[in-house]
Every structure is written in structure tokens, then in C-alpha cells.
């Protein structure tokens, strides 16, 4: 009998037989041996190397090592010092801490005032409250703190953002705030004794040469000058002259703002 397969000239395979699998042609590269199958394309690609592990602590330690040497304090947690040096203007920068230093500045200000008060109490055993208060005000003033901070290169390690970074590193208020924050950082890292030691180290020369009388006189002049500049946009003018009364010489000094006499004083010198 004629079957559809024989009518078309096709050989009918025996019953229960399975045709042999025909290997797929290779996708690329050298020809394969019979029976060898092509590996999937993704398997034949080389695996990408894992990203390098960044040791942030080691990087910060290396970057801030010169400052720690200046301060004389090796931080156990270097991220605290990094935090203290980060100004709010640097938000979003790759080298900035997650938080700015304003809270640490608040803490450092209190630690600083306590350390200076204790030091003055020791230095002037006979000094009254008024004297020590005025000396402490001088030591922790923005102007004086900026001098101490600049002498110890605090500004070189500040993390700032925005335009005018170079000018910001010379800004007395910002430099003073950074030193307060660094004081708070030392306190958080190792306690009050460590913070006191750091402050006595960087203030040592100034405290050793501190003259109570000169400091109080200078502060009075600075206070008057700042007041007149802020409120009246003028500077005080000092006029001195000698009064000789039968050989008894008396020096008289008058302080004026424009033509207005603000005060006068006299003495033997």
C-alpha cells in the first residue's frame, strides 16, 4: 500500500526510533568537535573584577595626620575630627562629613571656656573674679581664637564649599568656629583631660606671655573702636598733651569721636 511518506519519496523511520540530535553550528570561534555544544554567550564572557575596597578610616588618618601631630592628640575615631572640620557650606561634597560641625562647635565652646577658666584660676591665685573674667573674654574672643587657629594651621584642614573658599579660610569667625569644633572633637574622642591638654599646648606661648594690665587696656580700646565703627561708622581719635605746672608734669589724653569728647584722663606718664 502507498503511504503519504512513500508517495513523497521520504523514507519512513522504523517504529520506536529517535533521530540523532544535530549539533547547532558554533556562534563564533574555532569549530567544535562532534557532539560538543556551544556554551551560552554570558558564560563565555570573563567575569568583571569586583570594585576595590576603600578604607575610609585609613584615608582620613593619612590626610589628617599632620593636624593630629600639631594638636598633640591621636584620634581613636578619626571620623570625629573629620566631622569637626566640615563646614555647612560643603554639604554634598565627596570629601565632606555627613554632618556639619555646628553641634560640635557648641560643645567645644563650653569645653574651651571651662579649660581657660581653670587655667586662669591657677595662674592668678590672687586674681579677683573681674580680672579673670576679662582675661578669659580676651582669650576666647573671636579675634584671639582666630590667631591661635591660624598659628596651628586649622584653616588648612577645613572642608568648605561654595565660591570664595580661599577667602573663607581667612575669615576670623569661621576659623574660630573650627577651633571650637576641634576642641569638642577631642573632648568626645578622649574626654576633658585630653581636651585640656590640647588647649594648653596650643595656647601655651600666649598664656605664658599674658600681661593682665596690657590685655585689659587693649581690650578696652578694641571694645570702644568696635562699638563706634558698628554704630556710628567712625574711629576714635586720641589726643595727648603735656601740662607743666611749676615743674609738675602731667600728661592729659582726650578721646574724641569726630568733634565730640568721649572722655579724658591724666597721669604722670
Amino acid at each position: 500500500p502507498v503511504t503519504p511518506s512513500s508517495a513523497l519519496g521520504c523514507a519512513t523511520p522504523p517504529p520506536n526510533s529517535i533521530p540523532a540530535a544535530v549539533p547547532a553550528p558554533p556562534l563564533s570561534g574555532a569549530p567544535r568537535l562532534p557532539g560538543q555544544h556551544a556554551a551560552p554567550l554570558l558564560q563565555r564572557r570573563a567575569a568583571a573584577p569586583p570594585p576595590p575596597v576603600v578604607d575610609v578610616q585609613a584615608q582620613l588618618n593619612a590626610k589628617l595626620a599632620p593636624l593630629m601631630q600639631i594638636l598633640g592628640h591621636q584620634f581613636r575615631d578619626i571620623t570625629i575630627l573629620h566631622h569637626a572640620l566640615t563646614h555647612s557650606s560643603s554639604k554634598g561634597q565627596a570629601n565632606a562629613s555627613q554632618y556639619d560641625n555646628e553641634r560640635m562647635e557648641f560643645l567645644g565652646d563650653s569645653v574651651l571656656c571651662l579649660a581657660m577658666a581653670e587655667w586662669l584660676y591657677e595662674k592668678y591665685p590672687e586674681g579677683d573674679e573681674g580680672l579673670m573674667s576679662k582675661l578669659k573674654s580676651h582669650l576666647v574672643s573671636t579675634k584671639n581664637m582666630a590667631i591661635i587657629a591660624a598659628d596651628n594651621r586649622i584653616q588648612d584642614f577645613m572642608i568648605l564649599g561654595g565660591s570664595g573658599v580661599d577667602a573663607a579660610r581667612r575669615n576670623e569667625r569661621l576659623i574660630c568656629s573650627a577651633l571650637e569644633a576641634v576642641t569638642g572633637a577631642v573632648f568626645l574622642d578622649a574626654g576633658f583631660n585630653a581636651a585640656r591638654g590640647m588647649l594648653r599646648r596650643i595656647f601655651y606661648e600666649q598664656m605664658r606671655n599674658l600681661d593682665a594690665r596690657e590685655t585689659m587696656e587693649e581690650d578696652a580700646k578694641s571694645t570702644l573702636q568696635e562699638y563706634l565703627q558698628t554704630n556710628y561708622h567712625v574711629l576714635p581719635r586720641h589726643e595727648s598733651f603735656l601740662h607743666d605746672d611749676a615743674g609738675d608734669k602731667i600728661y592729659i589724653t582726650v578721646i574724641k569721636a569726630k568733634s565730640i569728647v568721649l572722655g579724658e584722663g591724666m597721669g604722670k606718664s
Side-chain angles (χ1 to χ4, degrees), residues 18-179:
I18 300 174
V22 179
L27 296 174
S28 62
R32 299 189 309 277
L33 297 174
Q36 183 181 13
H37 295 275
L41 182 60
L42 293 178
Q43 291 181 8
R44 289 186 283 117
R45 289 179 179 170
V53 178
V54 178
D55 190 339
V56 177
Q57 291 271 352
Q59 287 185 346
L60 289 175
N61 268 302
K63 182 179 180 181
L64 298 176
L67 178 58
M68 289 191 286
Q69 185 175 6
I70 291 170
L71 299 175
H73 178 74
Q74 187 70 32
F75 276 78
R76 294 177 292 186
D77 183 356
I78 192 63
T79 59
I80 298 178
L81 179 58
H82 183 224
H83 182 177
L85 295 166
T86 300
H87 187 257
S88 57
S89 63
S90 66
K91 185 177 182 180
Q93 292 186 176
N95 63 338
S97 172
Q98 183 180 1
Y99 307 103
D100 62 54
N101 62 2
E102 290 179 359
R103 281 169 49 85
M104 210 170 287
E105 174 192 338
F106 166 78
L107 175 63
D109 175 63
S110 296
V111 175
L112 171 72
C113 287
L114 175 58
M116 291 295 106
E118 180 190 47
W119 201 355
L120 289 168
Y121 188 86
E122 295 172 2
K123 183 177 175 65
Y124 296 99
E126 303 299 326
D128 59 24
E129 179 187 0
L131 169 68
M132 292 189 293
S133 294
K134 289 176 180 175
L135 291 176
K136 181 170 72 69
S137 295
H138 164 74
L139 289 169
V140 302
S141 66
T142 299
K143 181 178 180 179
N144 190 64
M145 288 279 290
I147 292 172
I148 296 293
D151 287 346
N152 290 276
R153 297 181 52 211
I154 299 292
Q155 73 280 5
D156 294 343
F157 299 90
M158 291 165 56
I159 303 170
L160 302 162
S163 58
V165 170
D166 290 339
R169 293 190 192 281
R170 298 189 296 271
N171 184 295
E172 287 186 349
R173 184 179 60 80
L174 293 183
I175 301 172
C176 169
S177 298
L179 179 53

Side-chain angles (χ1 to χ4, degrees), residues 196-265:
R196 176 208 285 136
M198 183 273 292
L199 290 169
R200 292 198 177 199
R201 190 174 298 109
I202 65 176
F203 276 85
Y204 176 76
E205 285 298 324
Q206 189 178 88
M207 185 67 86
R208 184 169 67 89
N209 299 317
L210 186 66
D211 185 299
R213 181 177 175 182
E214 288 183 6
T215 300
M216 293 174 67
E217 288 178 354
E218 184 61 33
D219 280 357
K221 292 178 183 178
S222 298
T223 301
L224 176 61
Q225 179 173 312
E226 290 173 7
Y227 176 81
L228 290 175
Q229 281 184 310
T230 301
N231 294 281
Y232 300 102
H233 309 290
V234 297
L235 289 173
R237 189 173 74 254
H238 300 78
E239 296 180 357
S240 298
F241 55 91
L242 174 63
H243 177 71
D244 191 344
D245 184 11
D248 188 10
K249 297 181 179 180
I250 298 176
Y251 293 88
I252 301 174
T253 298
V254 177
I255 301 177
K256 295 182 178 180
K258 293 186 176 180
S259 59
I260 302 173
V261 177
L262 302 177
E264 63 180 51

